Amino acid sequence: MVAPGDISGATTDKLEHIGESLIQHGPLNGRAYLMHLAPGEEPTIVPALENLAHAYGYTKIFAKVPEGAAYRFTRAGYAAEAIVPRLFNGRESGVFMARYFADWRKHPANPREIHSVLSVAQKKASQPIATASLPSLPQDARILALGPDQASEMAHVYRAVFASYPFPIFNPDYLRHSMAGTVRFFGIMIRDRLAALASAEMDPETGSAEMTDFATLPEYQGRKLAGFLLADMTERMREMGLCTLYTIARAESYAMNVTFARAGFTFSGTLPNNTHIGGGLESMNVWHLSLRNTVSSPAITI
């Protein structure tokens, strides 16, 4: 067992419930992450998260909450770091809030690089692309939904791409367990080899999905496979009746921020020193995309 505040030997954090609310916490990220706030638990979850952070020596609490609940967190010392319009059922905004217990963690380690990434991404998104110059999926490639039988190959790709990750995607059993719920994985096969993959973590209660877990094998990088995957997944989510898509992308990754910007996603904010990924703690950018111009209830088939 890893002692509170000690990240040595930590490989992943754990998911558990406080009441009906879902949190992820552990020494790898050194934080508690409120992933789902159960209705009516706002008064109890705020002190519970603080007690948890103090007990384990975490330096950050990160919470994704409806706008209507944000005031309770603000009163407890949280600050809003990103806002996603219509995150909850296409009606209510979602607010990504943080409370820090260490001053160093409040500030990105490389703010100039993050600013440069955003500038490049937004500039490229605003530039018209000539039809003749649009990339096309290689003739020997195909996009498909991935299933439990491919979990081992999926885990292999993730291990080849990431030195660390906030969720145990290196474990095929975890991937199979995720697929049994509301997470859908999609991949690009090139000559019957899995070259790239990503997931859509759908939330039927809110009509939203997090587009995440993008990975491309090193030998296939530079071929814009993530962009093809994102475009395909976006249409699948639209057809399923989802209202809003969002992502939490590595803030210093030109490739991923450009990919989401060019796909029509809007920048929502930066989460300083938020996620242990790629071997270290990194700041993350939130991007969002509304799939509907009108407000209506989601009609999702899982």
Side-chain angles (χ1 to χ4, degrees):
M1 179 178 179
V2 179
D6 179 10
I7 66 169
S8 60
T11 57
T12 186
D13 293 347
K14 61 183 178 180
L15 294 170
E16 63 181 30
H17 286 86
I18 296 179
E20 296 298 319
S21 298
L22 179 64
I23 65 166
Q24 181 214 31
H25 74 99
L28 179 64
N29 290 288
R31 68 169 194 209
Y33 173 18
L34 176 60
M35 302 177 68
H36 172 73
L37 173 62
E41 292 192 349
E42 297 96 328
T44 56
I45 196 66
V46 172
L49 287 170
E50 183 173 351
N51 291 338
L52 183 71
H54 287 315
Y56 286 91
Y58 299 149
T59 51
K60 182 174 185 176
I61 302 175
F62 174 48
K64 180 182 68 179
V65 302
E67 186 176 29
Y71 76 97
R72 289 187 182 273
F73 290 82
T74 301
R75 283 163 47 186
Y78 288 70
E81 295 185 331
I83 299 176
V84 174
R86 298 184 178 184
L87 182 60
F88 291 87
N89 294 313
R91 295 181 176 88
E92 186 175 10
S93 295
V95 187
F96 292 79
M97 309 194 76
R99 183 178 179 190
Y100 295 90
F101 300 96
D103 286 340
W104 66 266
R105 194 157 184 176
K106 296 179 183 178
H107 311 289
N110 197 344
R112 290 185 178 179
E113 184 70 6
I114 292 173
H115 182 268
S116 174
V117 169
L118 283 174
S119 296
V120 169
Q122 292 170 337
K123 181 178 180 180
K124 286 183 176 293
S126 66
Q127 293 174 343
I129 302 176
T131 303
S133 67
L134 285 173
S136 58
L137 194 65
Q139 291 184 352
D140 55 354
R142 57 193 173 97
I143 300 177
L144 73 165
L146 302 174
D149 291 344
Q150 293 152 306
S152 293
E153 188 175 7
M154 294 162 60
H156 168 75
V157 174
Y158 284 130
R159 286 193 295 268
V161 173
F162 297 108
S164 65
Y165 207 76
F167 293 91
I169 58 173
F170 306 147
N171 184 341
D173 289 336
Y174 171 81
L175 298 175
R176 294 187 189 99
H177 177 76
S178 298
M179 292 178 201
T182 57
V183 182
R184 298 293 178 264
F185 287 88
F186 302 92
I188 295 181
M189 304 292 293
I190 297 181
R191 296 178 183 174
D192 296 322
R193 183 187 184 193
L194 183 60
L197 75 161
S199 76
E201 296 185 2
M202 299 181 292
D203 185 344
E205 290 185 25
T206 65
S208 66
E210 181 179 359
M211 313 299 269
T212 186
D213 302 332
F214 284 80
T216 300
L217 285 174
E219 56 265 44
Y220 294 105
Q221 291 177 3
R223 300 173 70 172
K224 303 186 185 301
L225 299 186
F228 291 115
L229 267 177
L230 180 58
D232 183 85
M233 293 164 62
T234 296
E235 289 310 305
R236 292 175 190 254
M237 298 299 106
R238 192 190 308 274
E239 291 170 2
M240 294 182 70
L242 291 169
C243 302
T244 305
L245 306 180
Y246 72 97
T247 192
I248 302 175
R250 301 169 76 175
E252 295 184 34
S253 170
Y254 284 90
M256 288 312 305
N257 285 273
V258 168
T259 294
F260 281 97
R262 278 184 164 167
F265 282 65
T266 300
F267 173 68
S268 303
T270 298
L271 315 174
N273 298 307
N274 192 72
T275 304
H276 201 287
I277 185 171
L281 199 62
E282 297 189 18
S283 298
M284 310 293 283
N285 284 337
V286 179
W287 296 81
H288 74 270
L289 176 69
S290 176
L291 298 181
R292 298 185 178 186
N293 294 323
T294 58
V295 176
S296 57
S297 298
I300 306 169
T301 302
I302 300 299

